[in-house]
């Protein structure tokens, strides 16, 4: 049974890892960011490129991926998203377009493949991410065997959640972000530079997605379409948890992860998936604002 | 979409430029270029399946260029009309219609997944055209308008299961696959063979296609008491599966994964250390140690300008089916679908993986079953191979045998199927 709980925990940590950035961009900013999965994908490709060109491993890729995807997120906010605040459906379409652009850019090797050139580490194929030997195999904790890489992911997720919580609730910029969440115009009237804070928040959310990408690259497959299914899962977590609530996202990731893990153990993975979706639908029907809703803008 | 079209146009332009350069040497033929035999080439160049299908497209063009370098067929050059299926069955159907109706090509080399084949099948049957399909698939099909050059279940399993029970000495199978028709049909054939060989299967489990969360499943495998895993897992989930397997502390020497779909592509992507010691059954491996195969790998790498490109079973079939087709056209004496099909029956070719032959009765292909064990360098080491090709039996899951094929020149014997 301990193994089942651990697997549920690990499923939850992967969900939360990917959802954390979305909890910021969707939850806090009200932008339906369909390009979130592509930020995860770019993070994973950063890992691939870091190894090929800098000969560094997956640990070194974590800060690099954060910086790279945060910068790209910042650019997306400046160019596209900032013109669309308050227009929920338009952000959905625009960021979806951005997502397709990013996918194709990776697949066509930034356009080099038109000229018959090949950039190692990009292109339509599957990429290989090497994992350091200390993170492969299983650790034995008491009587249970625990997947080392998954334990590592749980650790990183806890750390990132803690950092995000501190940023949001213990720093002055966090106060500004939360003020904007509640009421952007009032926040602006109080002297908060809404434009700047929004850009930074979006960049931070994208950076978190990039780190998630590094982590999932160690056990999933890296290819241009990898982000698409992940964004769906991330939205489930944020919607169930309640838009705008960090604690809600943590709680709902845990719930969905365990639900998935236990059902998969009792029945099978296909039924588990259906049960998770049924649960999410039930939550949306009975509590449309999610389990931990707060008054949002 | 726009970028793809442009890509195709550009490639066509390049081919044209190459033709113009060659003109002084082949002036005679260039003058008759209008007489070129057009063929359709339809694989996904975009979308998720482009990972594999791009390589099938490339090798098909390579085979066509080889045929042209030797003077074409019936003295006419072969001209490829390349279309993009975009990993979407509906697009495959539209493009196949375009190739058959508008371009009037007598044959199309197309499709990787069963979903796309099923989507284009009505086009070829209604228009009495000819499809050449290069992928290993689940069988259960008997079309008079398709030549199948990949393996069917009996060519991957009828050697594999007895080998696992006898040589490996493993009797308790955990069958795992992606949740769609191919793995389910493969599981059906496997169960018949497992029981026939004195083994038993302890579970038959599936994960959604493209899902890569293997935590629960691998834990289940670990606690199932099975001593061998038979994997029909497909696509990018393969990578996550082998990684999770190792990371939960399972080892290939105690609980080997015996796979029917894991090829050189997935091994390279997961990192060979995860697969080392596991087994795959395919008629072709890149590691086949013959001069013909080594030369083939070299030519392919030069053609795609990638010194690390890998070859695999569907890719080899994509290559030799073009040559089989060219021989059939030469024999038929005309480039029309039905004469080509009739001439294809019984056609033989020395492929990179050995002799292949189109079975006249069901238009499937005689292939040589092989089993390889994956090595730490990412290549398969062939540890068991049949001496000669075996007959393709697309209905083996329903009791078809060598002596009594269900699918013959007259069509499918449905009475036998029910019995």
């Amino acid at each position: 049974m301990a193994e089942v709980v651990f697997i549920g925990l690990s499923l939850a940590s992967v969900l939360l890892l990917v959802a954390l950035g979305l909890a910021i961009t969707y939850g806090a900013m009200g932008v339906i960011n369909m390009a979130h999965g592509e930020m995860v994908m770019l993070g994973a490709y950063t890992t691939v490129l870091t190894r090929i060109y800098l000969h560094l491993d997956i640990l070194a890729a974590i800060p690099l991926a954060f910086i790279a995807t945060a910068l790209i997120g910042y650019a997306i906010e400046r160019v596209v998203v900032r013109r669309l605040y308050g227009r929920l459906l338009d952000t959905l379409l625009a960021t979806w377009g951005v997502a397709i652009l990013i996918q194709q850019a990776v697949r066509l090797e930034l356009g080099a493949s038109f000229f018959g050139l090949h950039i190692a580490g990009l292109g339509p194929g599957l990429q290989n991410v090497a994992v350091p030997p200390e993170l492969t195999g299983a650790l034995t904790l008491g009587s249970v065997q625990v997947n080392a890489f998954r334990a590592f992911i749980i650790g990183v997720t806890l750390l990132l959640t803690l950092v995000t919580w501190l940023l949001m609730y213990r720093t002055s910029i966090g106060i500004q972000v939360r003020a904007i969440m509640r009421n952007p115009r009032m926040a602006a009237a109080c002297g908060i530079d809404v434009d700047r804070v929004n850009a930074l928040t979006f960049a931070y959310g994208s950076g978190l997605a990039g780190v998630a990408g590094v982590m999932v690259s160690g056990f999933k497959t890296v290819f241009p379409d990898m982000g698409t299914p992940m964004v769906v899962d991330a939205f489930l977590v944020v919607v169930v948890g309640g838009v705008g609530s960090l604690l809600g996202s943590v709680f709902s990731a845990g719930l969905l992860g365990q639900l998935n893990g236990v059902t998969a153990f009792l029945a099978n993975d296909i039924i588990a998936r259906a049960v998770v979706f049924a649960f999410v639908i039930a939550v949306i029907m009975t509590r449309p604002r999610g389990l931990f809703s707060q008054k949002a803008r | 979409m726009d970028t793809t079209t442009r890509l195709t146009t550009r490639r066509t332009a390049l081919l044209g430029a190459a033709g113009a350069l060659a003109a002084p040497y082949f002036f005679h033929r260039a003058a008759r270029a209008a007489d070129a035999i057009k063929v359709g080439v339809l694989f996904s160049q975009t979308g998720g399946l482009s990972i594999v299908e791009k390589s099938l497209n490339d090798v098909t063009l390579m085979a066509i260029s080889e045929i042209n370098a030797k003077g074409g067929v019936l003295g006419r050059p072969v001209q490829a009309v390349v279309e993009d299926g975009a990993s979407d069955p509906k697009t495959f159907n539209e493009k196949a219609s375009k190739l058959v109706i508008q371009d009037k090509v007598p044959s199309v080399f197309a499709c990787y997944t069963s979903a796309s084949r099923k989507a284009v099948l009505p086009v070829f049957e209604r228009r009495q055209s000819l499809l050449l399909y290069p992928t290993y698939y689940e069988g259960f099909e008997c079309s008079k308008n398709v030549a199948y050059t990949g393996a069917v279940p009996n060519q991957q399993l009828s050697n594999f299961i007895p080998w696992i029970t006898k040589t490996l000495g493993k009797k308790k199978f955990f069958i795992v696959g992606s949740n769609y028709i191919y793995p389910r049909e493969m599981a059906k054939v496997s169960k018949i063979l497992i029981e026939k060989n004195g083994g038993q299967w302890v579970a038959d489990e599936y994960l959604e296609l493209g899902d890569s969360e293997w935590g629960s499943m691998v834990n289940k495998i670990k606690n199932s008491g099975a001593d061998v895993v038979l994997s029909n897992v497909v696509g990018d989930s393969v990578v996550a599966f082998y990684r999770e397997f190792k990371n939960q502390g399972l080892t290939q020497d105690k609980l080997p994964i015996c796979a029917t779909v894991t090829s050189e592509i997935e091994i390279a992507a997961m990192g060979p250390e995860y697969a080392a010691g596991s087994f795959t059954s395919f008629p072709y491996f890149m590691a086949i140690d013959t001069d013909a195969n080594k030369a083939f790998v070299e030519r392919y790498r030069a053609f795609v300008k990638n010194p690390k490109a890998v070859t695999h079973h569907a890719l080899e079939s994509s290559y030799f089916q073009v040559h089989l087709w060219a021989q059939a056209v030469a024999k038929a004496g005309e480039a029309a679908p039905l004469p080509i099909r009739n001439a294809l029956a019984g056609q033989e070719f020395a492929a990179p993986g050995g002799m292949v032959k189109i079975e006249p009765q069901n238009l499937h292909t005689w292939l040589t079953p092989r089993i390889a064990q994956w090595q730490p360098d990412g290549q398969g080491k062939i540890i068991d191979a049949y001496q000669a090709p075996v007959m393709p039996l697309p209905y083996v899951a329903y009791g078809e045998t060598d002596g009594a094929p269900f699918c013959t020149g007259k069509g499918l014997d449905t009475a036998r199927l029910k019995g």
Side-chain angles (χ1 to χ4, degrees):
Chain A
M1 201 59 208
E3 277 186 341
V4 178
V5 173
F6 176 78
I7 282 167
L9 196 63
S10 127
L11 296 179
S13 69
V14 176
L15 282 176
L16 182 59
L17 191 63
V18 181
L20 210 52
L22 200 74
I24 308 270
T25 54
Y26 177 53
M29 304 176 67
V31 173
I32 299 189
N33 183 13
M34 294 300 281
H36 187 75
E38 274 53 45
M39 293 294 146
V40 177
M41 183 264 284
L42 287 177
Y45 272 92
T46 309
T47 325
V48 175
L49 297 176
T50 306
R51 192 177 55 88
I52 296 178
Y53 296 103
L54 302 174
H55 308 290
L56 296 172
D57 70 0
I58 196 163
L59 297 173
I62 294 177
L64 290 175
F66 182 84
I67 295 167
T69 49
L71 286 176
I72 293 168
Y74 187 81
I76 293 173
E77 203 277 345
R78 286 275 147 155
V79 178
V80 182
V81 174
R82 78 167 22 189
R83 295 162 213 280
L84 301 169
Y85 282 122
R87 292 154 63 186
L88 206 60
L89 284 177
D90 295 345
T91 61
L92 187 153
L93 285 177
T95 51
W96 192 13
V98 170
I100 294 171
L101 279 175
I102 294 174
Q103 266 186 31
Q104 285 296 341
V106 171
R107 191 175 286 127
L108 299 172
E109 303 166 42
L110 304 173
S113 65
F114 287 124
F115 306 101
L117 298 172
H118 180 66
I119 301 176
L122 296 177
L126 304 172
Q127 302 294 336
N128 169 26
V129 170
V131 178
E134 51 270 27
L135 290 177
T136 58
L139 306 166
T140 313
L141 293 179
S143 62
V144 224
Q145 280 204 315
V146 167
N147 179 332
F149 195 78
R150 285 181 181 270
F152 177 57
I153 289 183
I154 294 174
V156 170
T157 309
L158 285 177
L159 191 69
L160 285 180
T161 313
L162 190 69
V163 168
T164 307
W165 183 82
L166 285 174
L167 266 179
M168 293 284 280
Y169 292 89
R170 288 289 179 272
T171 63
S172 70
I173 191 140
I175 295 174
Q176 296 181 21
V177 172
R178 286 185 291 136
I180 295 172
M181 274 163 66
R182 292 299 171 93
N183 191 328
R185 295 175 117 190
M186 191 64 89
C190 294
I192 293 174
D193 186 348
V194 176
D195 277 4
R196 183 173 150 271
V197 174
N198 270 342
L200 290 178
T201 316
F202 198 88
Y204 180 68
S206 302
L208 286 181
V211 177
V214 177
M215 301 310 297
V216 297
S217 72
F219 74 108
K220 293 193 177 184
T221 321
V222 180
F223 64 109
D225 293 344
M226 66 181 287
T228 318
M230 286 183 208
V231 76
V232 177
D233 286 351
F235 268 110
L236 296 185
V237 170
V238 176
V239 167
V240 167
V243 173
S245 163
L246 196 61
L247 183 69
S249 293
V250 175
F251 184 77
S252 83
L255 198 64
L256 295 180
Q258 290 296 353
L259 185 64
N260 196 335
V262 171
T263 323
F265 172 73
L266 295 176
N268 64 48
D269 280 284
I270 290 162
I271 291 178
R273 193 94 186 126
V275 168
V276 166
F277 277 112
F279 176 74
V280 172
I281 292 170
V283 168
I284 295 173
M285 279 166 67
T286 51
R287 304 196 57 151
R289 287 180 164 277
L291 297 175
F292 286 73
S293 59
Q294 46 174 255
K295 280 185 191 143
R297 52 179 164 186
Chain B
M1 287 308 110
D2 196 13
T3 44
T4 352
T5 329
R6 215 175 301 145
L7 181 65
T8 326
T9 333
R10 202 174 286 237
R11 185 170 298 147
T12 324
L14 278 175
L15 283 176
L21 284 176
Y25 304 97
F26 301 102
F27 182 74
H28 186 64
R29 195 172 307 132
R32 296 175 48 189
D35 277 342
I37 301 176
K38 281 193 198 171
V39 291
V41 179
L42 173 57
F43 295 101
S44 301
Q45 317 227 10
T46 53
L49 293 165
S50 61
I51 297 160
V52 178
E53 296 196 24
K54 183 86 175 57
S55 67
L56 306 186
N57 179 70
D58 291 343
V59 84
T60 305
L61 297 181
M62 173 175 123
I64 291 173
S65 76
E66 285 180 10
I67 289 164
N68 285 337
K70 285 188 189 153
V73 191
L74 303 173
R76 297 159 64 185
V78 179
Q79 185 195 340
V81 183
V82 178
E83 290 290 347
D84 176 13
S87 307
D88 169 35
K90 268 194 291 225
T91 310
F92 267 97
N93 178 292
E94 286 159 18
K95 300 286 184 175
S97 306
K98 184 239 166 199
L99 287 168
V100 171
I101 298 167
Q102 190 181 325
D103 296 320
K104 299 191 169 58
V105 299
S107 308
V108 181
F109 305 99
C111 300
Y112 175 63
T113 63
S114 289
S116 61
R117 187 190 67 254
K118 292 281 185 202
V120 301
L121 203 56
V123 176
F124 290 93
E125 293 191 333
R126 200 178 311 134
R127 303 275 163 183
Q128 288 300 313
S129 190
L130 180 63
L131 165 69
L132 287 101
Y133 176 68
T135 320
Y136 46 91
Y137 84 113
E138 65 279 358
F140 202 69
E141 208 169 275
C142 182
S143 173
K144 293 294 121 195
N145 299 88
V146 186
Y148 307 80
T149 57
V152 284
N154 76 307
Q155 292 167 320
Q156 283 185 271
L157 290 172
S158 60
N159 61 327
F160 206 22
I161 305 283
W163 180 84
I164 293 168
T165 55
K166 296 204 178 73
T167 313
L168 279 185
K170 307 282 188 183
K171 304 276 185 192
K172 291 172 87 174
F173 289 74
F174 192 112
I175 307 174
V176 60
S178 303
N179 191 22
Y180 76 107
I181 182 167
Y182 173 76
R184 284 186 179 271
E185 289 286 315
M186 290 296 271
K188 208 182 271 179
V189 181
S190 308
K191 286 174 190 168
I192 297 172
L193 287 165
I194 289 169
E195 276 154 24
K196 205 188 279 175
N197 285 282
Q200 52 168 311
W201 53 277
V202 295
D204 178 19
E205 295 267 355
Y206 299 88
L207 202 66
E208 283 307 332
L209 190 59
D211 198 346
S212 48
E213 185 46 84
W214 284 96
S216 304
M217 184 76 85
V218 172
N219 189 44
K220 212 176 258 186
I221 292 175
K222 201 162 138 185
N223 299 323
S224 67
D227 57 12
V228 60
V229 178
L230 185 69
S231 159
N232 302 311
V233 180
V234 177
D236 53 283
S237 336
V238 172
V239 176
F241 176 44
Y242 282 68
R243 287 192 160 187
E244 184 70 32
F245 199 78
K246 183 172 180 190
N247 285 344
Q248 288 205 15
L250 296 169
T251 53
Q252 300 288 348
D253 52 337
K254 285 212 190 85
L255 184 60
I257 301 179
C258 296
T260 53
V261 196
T262 308
S263 75
E264 286 83 351
I265 294 184
E266 289 87 9
I267 300 288
M270 75 178 78
E273 68 271 22
Y274 289 94
S278 71
F279 304 93
T280 297
S281 169
F282 261 141
Y284 172 85
F285 289 96
M286 186 170 167
I288 288 176
D289 195 16
T290 60
D291 293 341
N293 183 46
K294 283 178 189 154
F296 169 67
V297 174
E298 285 311 308
R299 288 203 304 279
Y300 176 66
R301 287 179 165 177
F303 189 80
V304 296
K305 298 196 190 73
N306 178 1
K308 286 184 181 164
V310 293
T311 58
H312 49 96
H313 171 48
L315 184 138
E316 191 232 11
S317 295
S318 300
Y319 171 78
F320 73 65
Q321 71 175 10
V322 180
H323 284 282
L324 283 170
W325 172 87
Q327 291 175 7
V329 176
K331 187 183 169 200
E334 58 175 320
L338 297 185
I340 297 175
R341 179 200 64 197
N342 295 339
L344 259 179
Q347 209 59 247
E348 290 185 30
F349 181 72
M355 283 308 284
V356 295
K357 181 179 127 185
I358 300 275
E359 165 60 37
Q361 307 228 45
N362 56 21
L363 295 179
H364 286 61
T365 307
W366 289 67
L367 298 164
T368 310
R370 290 185 171 91
I371 298 167
Q373 183 171 36
W374 297 103
Q375 304 296 308
D377 66 352
Q379 286 297 326
K381 182 182 165 202
I382 289 147
I383 50 173
D384 189 79
Y386 275 27
Q387 292 304 312
V390 302
M391 174 154 172
L393 297 171
Y395 289 87
V396 72
Y398 303 88
E400 187 179 32
T401 54
D402 281 13
F406 289 8
C407 179
T408 60
K410 290 188 196 110
L412 179 63
D413 187 351
T414 46
R416 293 259 273 302
L417 192 58
K418 277 165 200 151

